[in-house]
Amino acid sequence: MNSAYPFSAVVGLADLKLALVLNAVSSRVGGVLVRGEKGTAKSTIVRALAAQLPQVAVVAGCRFHCDPGAPDPGCPDGPHEPDAAGALRAASLVELPVGASEDRLVGSLDLERALTEGVKAFEPGLLAAAHRGVLYVDEVNLLHDHLVDLLLDAAALGVCYVERETVSIRHAARFLLVGTMNPEEGELRPQLLDRFGLTVEVRATREPDERAEVVRRRFAFDADPEGFAARWAAEEAALAARIARARAVLGSVRLPDSRLRQITAVCAGFGVDGLRADLVTAHAAVAHAAWQGRDVVTREDVRVAARLALPHRRRRDPFDAPGLDERLLDELLDQTEPAAPEDPDDPDDPGGPEGPESPGPDDSGGPGSGRSEGPDGSGGPGAGSGAPKGTAGVSEGSGSVGSGSVGSGSEESNSAVGSGGRAHDDDRPQDVAAAGAPFRVPVLTVAGVGAGVAGRRSSGRGRHGRTIGTRVPTGAGPAGIDLPATLLAAAPHQLRRGRRGPGLVLTRDDFREPVREGREGNLVLFVVDASGSMGARRRMTAVKTAVLSLLLDAYQRRDKVGLVVFRGAGATVALPPTSSVEAGAARLRALPTGGRTPLAEGLATAAEVLRVERLRDPDRRPLLVVVTDGRATSGGDVTRAAAALAGVTSVVVDCESGPVRLGMAHALALRLGARVLPLESLGDLVRRKAG
């Protein structure tokens, strides 16, 4: 949808609207992470938010958007005079592309001017452009980790620090940070998840009438964008005015000590790590009280804030989906509810002027009312005190954070593996063995040095790592400058270039960039034997546990993963190559067993998956992990299928057990040129090395 689409015209998504508004009211809330499936208007509503923010006054000509009333004393364009001329402008909406460089994010120095003229010629980056506005990162889970670290550091500190070749610059960078992501494409690390203040899980409504209204409004917008926007102009203006009022009264909202203890008790009760959750929940509760027109934080403000601030901080296993048990939340709130009001005007007092029996000036949920309301006038989190526990008054499909039903193990993904077809050749019931707790596994790497995306598995050259040499820049711009090498390249040419002053005479040909060697992420393709020869429940439990452990290792090393399963009459691609390791774990857990063993078909399918993926992502090197006992009771020629995988770094996890072993997995490993790891010793290998 177009960025001019009105904020109020988006159907549903009450939690998301409220989370964005709370951040618009208070920058201390810490931003919003929007998780959801594709096609749910995540980007549309974020882009529409900027139009609702009040205009900001900026110092005329300042590239860093300083406030004339309180200019940044460290502004690179300053110092600004106290009575500097100002100008009003709309709050900026800055989008950070997934492929952005570090220099594009934080800014860069004009090294040619710095070396020749001795001046700090700084070109601001996107963080400077977003100051006092909105910074939007679509598909934030696909952004490189080091960029996410820089982004979240600036968001937390409100300052951007730039360190480049002995030159240090800092400038203010306070913005409303919004990230959107589709969990199917991979998760953010828990450490990065925790840095976002609030999170909202968005799903498209399953209600036909609401879906029809979405289509109807989209058609109306396409037919006449200006007329459509005009029809919503009054509601948009009212929303912007309400945000401005909430900002104005934010500093006067009081957080009673009893409510602060309630917040900390809730955070402790959910077992969240650290104290960031307590701070974010407190700031969000204060912002919600200001949004509702109250001057004291109430239980409902705490509940709404906790529902938005805690779900993504509850993850203990990387494969866990964010979620919150709202019944437990209500129990914790009940246990810590103050026995008596703080003062005669405390809104928590049932007999007070703002108690349940005495509604505020607007009984429809406006400012002063006792119920929570979404910014579009619909019920937001906690709307309606009579809502059943676990629903918080949010309508079906609105994207409730605490629904508890969101995760990579959905019915669709669970049914993908055992959906029939060629995967099994008899009518016997499918046996699904459970997986045990994952354990540490040996580090598996691809031989040689690659040039793939940054990760933590195999050796690779890129923008990060230790410097092993220098070279003339080969891309559109240098990946950083190696200053000593640049000076050495320029020194022999100074007389010929007519140098007369203290500065060096440089040309673009003199620049040298460092060659760095670090670690890259790989494509780890699992080929799992789910046939009857592997079907003993105890052995299949061990197999699933081992593969789950390898998946966890792939998650930690920033790999893409894929899953091929062979059993019965053929092989299927249970999970095409993806960054969503969680999806792989969900489908592995639902993997049924039984039938014959078409080993050749499994290898042939793996070869085809790697061929297609090589065309899509040529720089990402594959690592093949075949989990089997090596038997082949049906299908084609194993030797020919293995030959198609020549040159691929491979590992065979030998699942053969019992006192008599035929060594078929070792024979397969010889055909593949693979390393063999016995299934039962995967965890022991790590323990022996550690000892």
Side-chain angles (χ1 to χ4, degrees):
M1 290 184 184
N2 192 291
S3 60
Y5 197 91
F7 185 85
S8 301
V10 179
V11 178
L13 307 184
D15 281 7
L16 175 52
K17 290 184 178 182
L18 183 60
L20 291 171
V21 165
L22 293 183
N23 275 271
V25 171
S26 172
S27 61
R28 294 181 178 273
V29 173
V32 185
L33 176 65
V34 187
R35 298 164 43 90
E37 58 197 14
K38 53 187 175 294
T40 49
K42 300 187 297 294
S43 301
T44 298
I45 195 169
V46 172
R47 292 189 176 101
L49 172 70
Q52 308 310 309
L53 300 180
Q55 288 187 318
V56 294
V58 298
V59 174
C62 178
R63 298 174 297 166
F64 300 86
H65 313 304
C66 283
D67 184 350
D72 177 14
C75 176
D77 283 356
H80 301 297
E81 297 296 330
D83 56 350
L88 283 177
R89 66 161 177 80
S92 58
L93 171 65
V94 177
E95 296 191 38
L96 175 62
V98 169
S101 66
E102 184 175 331
D103 285 347
R104 183 76 181 104
L105 177 64
V106 302
S108 60
L109 294 173
D110 187 337
L111 282 177
E112 189 167 354
R113 289 190 61 195
L115 292 173
T116 58
E117 303 174 25
V119 297
K120 297 180 181 179
F122 180 69
E123 184 65 28
L126 295 177
L127 292 181
H131 180 45
R132 305 176 68 199
V134 179
L135 181 60
Y136 172 48
V137 189
D138 195 12
E139 304 294 351
V140 64
N141 52 324
L142 302 183
L143 199 65
H144 285 177
D145 283 348
H146 75 285
L147 292 181
V148 179
D149 284 329
L150 288 171
L151 182 65
L152 294 176
D153 280 342
L157 299 174
V159 179
C160 174
Y161 293 93
V162 185
E163 305 288 342
R164 289 290 186 277
E165 284 75 33
T166 74
V167 180
S168 250
I169 288 179
R170 60 160 295 278
H171 64 81
R174 293 184 296 276
F175 46 82
L176 194 170
L177 175 63
V178 184
T180 60
M181 60 174 284
N182 182 350
E184 294 177 0
E185 297 297 330
E187 279 284 3
L188 277 171
R189 287 185 289 149
Q191 301 94 314
L192 300 180
L193 274 174
D194 181 60
R195 300 292 293 276
F196 281 93
L198 310 179
T199 188
V200 178
E201 195 83 31
V202 175
R203 282 189 168 187
T205 177
R206 301 296 186 257
E207 178 59 45
D209 289 342
E210 288 190 9
R211 296 174 76 97
E213 183 61 21
V214 171
V215 176
R216 192 177 298 116
R217 292 187 186 181
R218 179 63 201 187
F219 276 19
F221 176 78
D222 289 339
D224 182 11
E226 293 183 1
F228 184 81
R231 287 196 294 274
W232 290 92
E235 290 191 37
E236 296 283 276
L239 177 60
R242 187 175 173 188
I243 291 174
R245 287 196 303 271
R247 280 185 172 186
V249 303
L250 181 67
S252 62
V253 175
R254 186 166 60 88
L255 176 63
D257 192 62
S258 59
R259 293 300 171 198
L260 177 58
R261 289 195 301 271
Q262 190 172 48
I263 289 171
T264 56
V266 167
C267 293
F270 276 107
V272 298
D273 296 328
L275 294 174
R276 184 175 284 116
D278 306 63
L279 289 167
V280 170
T281 305
H283 285 306
V286 171
H288 189 263
W291 171 247
Q292 294 295 331
R294 293 190 280 266
D295 59 2
V296 179
V297 173
T298 67
R299 170 198 169 104
E300 187 59 32
D301 299 321
V302 173
R303 188 181 193 281
V304 169
R307 287 189 59 249
L308 296 173
L310 299 185
H312 58 303
R313 296 182 167 91
R314 290 278 299 135
R315 296 181 69 186
R316 286 295 178 267
D317 188 302
F319 302 139
D320 291 342
L324 193 72
D325 184 345
E326 293 198 27
R327 292 184 179 179
L328 176 58
L329 173 60
D330 287 330
E331 290 174 5
L332 291 170
L333 290 172
D334 290 340
Q335 293 169 6
T336 55
E337 185 66 16
E342 293 281 319
D343 54 54
D345 296 326
D346 193 334
D348 295 330
D349 181 7
E354 295 293 322
E357 300 299 322
S358 303
D362 182 3
D363 195 35
S364 63
S369 71
R371 69 171 185 153
S372 172
E373 177 192 286
D376 59 346
S378 61
S385 59
K389 288 185 179 182
T391 64
V394 178
S395 61
E396 182 183 356
S398 64
S400 171
V401 179
S403 62
S405 62
V406 178
S408 56
S410 62
E411 291 182 7
E412 292 84 359
S413 63
N414 286 345
S415 63
V417 175
S419 58
R422 298 183 303 143
H424 44 90
D425 57 353
D426 55 40
D427 295 326
R428 290 175 294 176
Q430 298 179 15
D431 186 16
V432 179
F439 50 80
R440 289 182 59 197
V441 296
V443 180
L444 307 177
T445 61
V446 178
V449 180
V453 298
R456 297 185 176 182
R457 184 173 296 279
S458 306
S459 295
R461 290 177 184 168
R463 291 178 175 266
H464 305 282
R466 62 186 181 90
T467 301
I468 60 173
T470 62
R471 66 185 177 193
V472 176
T474 55
I481 293 295
D482 188 288
L483 186 57
T486 298
L487 296 178
L488 288 173
H493 307 291
Q494 296 305 296
L495 290 177
R496 178 172 57 81
R497 293 173 183 172
R499 173 186 169 187
R500 294 294 182 267
L504 292 174
V505 180
L506 291 176
T507 68
R508 285 290 175 184
D509 293 337
D510 297 326
F511 288 112
R512 297 293 184 270
E513 67 179 6
V515 177
R516 296 187 176 98
E517 186 172 303
R519 292 286 171 181
E520 66 173 4
N522 298 110
L523 166 60
V524 182
L525 181 62
F526 294 94
V527 182
V528 179
D529 182 351
S531 65
S533 66
M534 300 279 291
R537 177 171 289 272
R538 181 178 300 176
R539 183 157 31 134
M540 201 60 202
T541 294
V543 168
K544 286 191 175 184
T545 303
V547 178
L548 191 66
S549 303
L550 291 165
L551 276 169
L552 177 59
D553 181 68
Y555 168 87
Q556 295 169 338
R557 299 187 187 280
R558 314 293 180 264
D559 296 315
K560 289 178 72 173
V561 297
L563 178 62
V564 173
V565 176
F566 60 95
R567 60 187 289 262
T572 58
V573 181
L575 181 70
T578 177
S579 296
S580 178
V581 179
E582 294 80 3
R587 299 189 184 191
L588 174 73
R589 290 188 176 107
L591 181 66
T593 59
R596 290 178 290 179
T597 312
L599 176 57
E601 278 69 16
L603 298 178
T605 302
E608 178 61 17
V609 169
L610 295 180
R611 183 190 70 80
V612 173
E613 191 63 20
R614 194 175 295 117
L615 297 175
R616 294 175 178 170
D617 192 356
D619 291 333
R620 191 182 290 269
R621 298 186 294 161
L623 173 64
L624 183 69
V625 180
V626 184
V627 184
T628 181
D629 57 10
R631 298 183 183 183
T633 60
S634 68
D637 186 346
V638 174
T639 301
R640 179 179 298 176
L645 293 165
V648 176
T649 301
S650 304
V651 175
V652 174
V653 178
D654 183 5
C655 301
E656 192 173 24
S657 61
V660 179
R661 304 196 179 191
L662 304 178
M664 293 182 178
H666 285 261
L668 174 62
L670 288 175
R671 295 188 182 102
L672 292 172
R675 175 185 178 186
V676 179
L677 293 177
L679 174 66
E680 64 272 12
S681 67
L682 278 179
D684 293 336
L685 286 173
V686 175
R687 286 190 287 271
R688 285 201 297 270
K689 288 183 179 180

